[in-house]
Amino acid sequence: MRFVVRGGKPLRGEIKLAGSKNGATNLMVATLLTDELCTLHNFPSIGDTAITAELCRKIGSEITVRGGMATVHTPSIRQSKVAELSRRNRIPILAMGPLLSRAGEAEVPILGGDKIGPRPVDFHLEALRALGATVEITEKSYVARAPQGLRGAVIQLPFPSVGATETSILAAVLAKGKTEIRNAALEPEIMSMMKMLQNMGAIVELGANRDIYIEGVSKLRGAAHEIIPDRNEAVSFACLALATRGEILVRGALQDHLITFLNVVRRMGAEYNVVSGGIVFSRPSLLRAISVETAPHPGFMTDWQQPLAVLLTQAQGKSTIHETIYEDRFGYAEDLRALGARIEVSNGCAEGHACHFSGKACNHSATIEGPVELKSDGKEFRVRDLRSGMINVSAALVSKGETKIEGVEEIDRGYERIDERLRKLGADIRREA
Ligand code: EPU
């Protein structure tokens, strides 16, 4: 499937954020911790929630999805060993904790997901071992056992990994005794999961210095929870408003989740206005170049650097992006260059600020010089991964002329009916089989 886009027009109007992809899939897995019914509101119908539903159904969940609401009920663990799924993403490993707690054993397939670096899972497996599980890696799957149940422990994460923090929490809430997760990730999707677990009966709280404290309980009950709005969609739409010289009300955007991004917008000389129900992004003046470094929350999120890169092609001067989370997240630079962008990537750390990739061969910094008028004369791109696929769409909407983007199923994994929603902002985008 492909998108055909004719760009170069300002995008104006209002767009409502979908429920967060990464804040929905983790909650679906959290529902596996109880034999009672859970309800998830603001549920996004995207590829990644479909893959997670397949995983949960294999395990024994009854799932209904209707009108933005999902119910998940897992009265018993029918199958604790799921060696294969029809498609792959990063979620199955999160199910290890709930499976170990309810069935004493777990097997999930080796993970897929975006090709943005090696993406190991050693922190997840170490956390499960710390809680008393034995863990093996086979050719196709991760296999863990804890026949006597999991026991609370101190888990020291080497890096505030989102997934490993989620694995640790999901494994600890039903473990015997107390767990302390040190150097935990504190992304809004994790806070939301902690709130749902609390509502299910868990004892889980935040300490200072990235610590999370959990006191295991013997049983959790069902709960209803509202999935947070997708902050990655918010940044994509904000950058589109600014890059196309339009004005967009991003309905549902939460200032709390976007503080770092909003400061970047202001430093560039663009405008935002927090109103009831959302944030309006507009561009009254010339944009200034800026330097940005990605970091765990509350820093500038790695998933935001791609939409920002498109915007920076329109800013006056030389901007830099220093990616400190993933080794290989500038694959899209080549596509932007094909549209006329002046973007160079390098393996050095931007502005001499050494990060943990310093001295490694990976291209983790970019300089972008602007402003340039992006143009496309029928260029064709193939989507590399979810976020850079959305960049192909954004860059095509900013570029004068027609662009074709192949492989949009990957974009559908994370963005709900994106073409339909963008058309309401005046975008000329159509989907072809
Ligand atoms: N890491 C390890 N070992 C581990 C786990 C992580 O070395 O066991 C490293 C990773 O290789 C990476 C860094 O730690 O260099 C951070 O990875 P993290 O675990 O935080 O990422 P993740 O949980 O795999 C989630 C999101 C990503 C988002 C990152 C960072 C989900 C399903 N995915 O990934 O979202 O970029 O956190 O915020 O929640 C996306 O939505 O497109 C996406 C890639």
Side-chain angles (χ1 to χ4, degrees), residues 45-309:
S45 285
I46 49 177
D48 264 14
T49 50
I51 302 174
T52 312
E54 183 189 350
L55 169 77
C56 293
R57 283 195 176 104
K58 286 203 166 174
I59 289 170
S61 310
E62 293 144 19
I63 300 177
T64 61
V65 180
R66 206 168 298 125
M69 185 179 95
T71 59
V72 190
H73 186 202
T74 317
S76 64
I77 303 294
R78 206 175 42 229
Q79 195 184 334
S80 56
K81 297 186 170 185
V82 181
E84 267 184 74
L85 289 171
S86 58
R87 287 180 289 166
R88 298 202 299 165
N89 67 5
R90 308 286 303 161
I91 303 306
I93 199 158
L94 302 184
M96 301 280 270
L99 289 173
L100 285 167
S101 295
R102 284 186 70 186
E105 57 174 16
E107 178 171 352
V108 297
I110 298 279
L111 305 189
D114 295 333
K115 295 167 200 70
I116 50 185
R119 306 189 78 182
V121 290
D122 47 339
F123 308 162
H124 299 246
L125 304 184
E126 278 313 308
L128 294 171
R129 287 189 182 110
L131 292 165
T134 57
V135 186
E136 289 169 60
I137 309 175
T138 71
E139 205 180 304
K140 280 179 133 181
S141 56
Y142 306 104
V143 184
R145 282 185 193 84
Q148 311 305 323
L150 297 170
R151 289 181 315 272
V154 173
I155 297 169
Q156 174 73 47
L157 294 176
F159 182 84
S161 147
V162 171
T165 301
E166 291 175 340
T167 287
S168 306
I169 297 173
L170 291 167
V173 282
L174 286 178
K176 280 195 194 83
K178 294 185 180 175
T179 295
E180 188 177 328
I181 306 166
R182 297 187 182 151
N183 202 23
L186 304 175
E187 268 63 5
E189 293 76 15
I190 293 176
M191 295 299 116
S192 165
M193 190 177 86
M194 282 171 58
K195 288 187 208 165
M196 180 167 105
L197 289 168
Q198 194 176 38
N199 208 12
M200 289 168 73
I203 302 177
V204 46
E205 67 193 298
L206 212 54
N209 307 321
R210 294 190 172 275
D211 289 340
I212 292 175
Y213 301 109
I214 296 171
E215 252 175 74
V217 294
S218 57
K219 195 165 165 39
L220 292 173
R221 56 175 180 258
H225 195 77
E226 174 98 13
I227 293 163
I228 57 172
D230 196 304
R231 60 199 173 106
N232 294 334
E233 275 201 357
V235 168
S236 299
F237 300 146
C239 289
L240 267 177
L242 303 177
T244 64
R245 293 178 180 270
E247 180 168 315
I248 298 178
L249 163 59
V250 183
R251 196 163 275 291
L254 294 177
Q255 186 174 10
D256 267 7
H257 294 178
L258 296 169
I259 287 177
T260 317
F261 173 71
L262 294 176
N263 288 333
V264 166
V265 168
R266 179 95 352 117
R267 285 194 194 104
M268 290 181 76
E271 271 305 322
Y272 67 85
N273 191 11
V274 180
V275 296
S276 158
I279 305 181
V280 182
F281 292 89
S282 59
R283 181 180 153 187
S285 56
L286 207 69
L287 295 174
R288 289 188 291 272
I290 191 163
S291 292
V292 164
E293 182 169 281
T294 63
H297 186 78
F300 193 91
M301 193 190 185
T302 168
D303 294 328
W304 297 344
Q305 57 104 334
Q306 303 85 339
L308 183 75

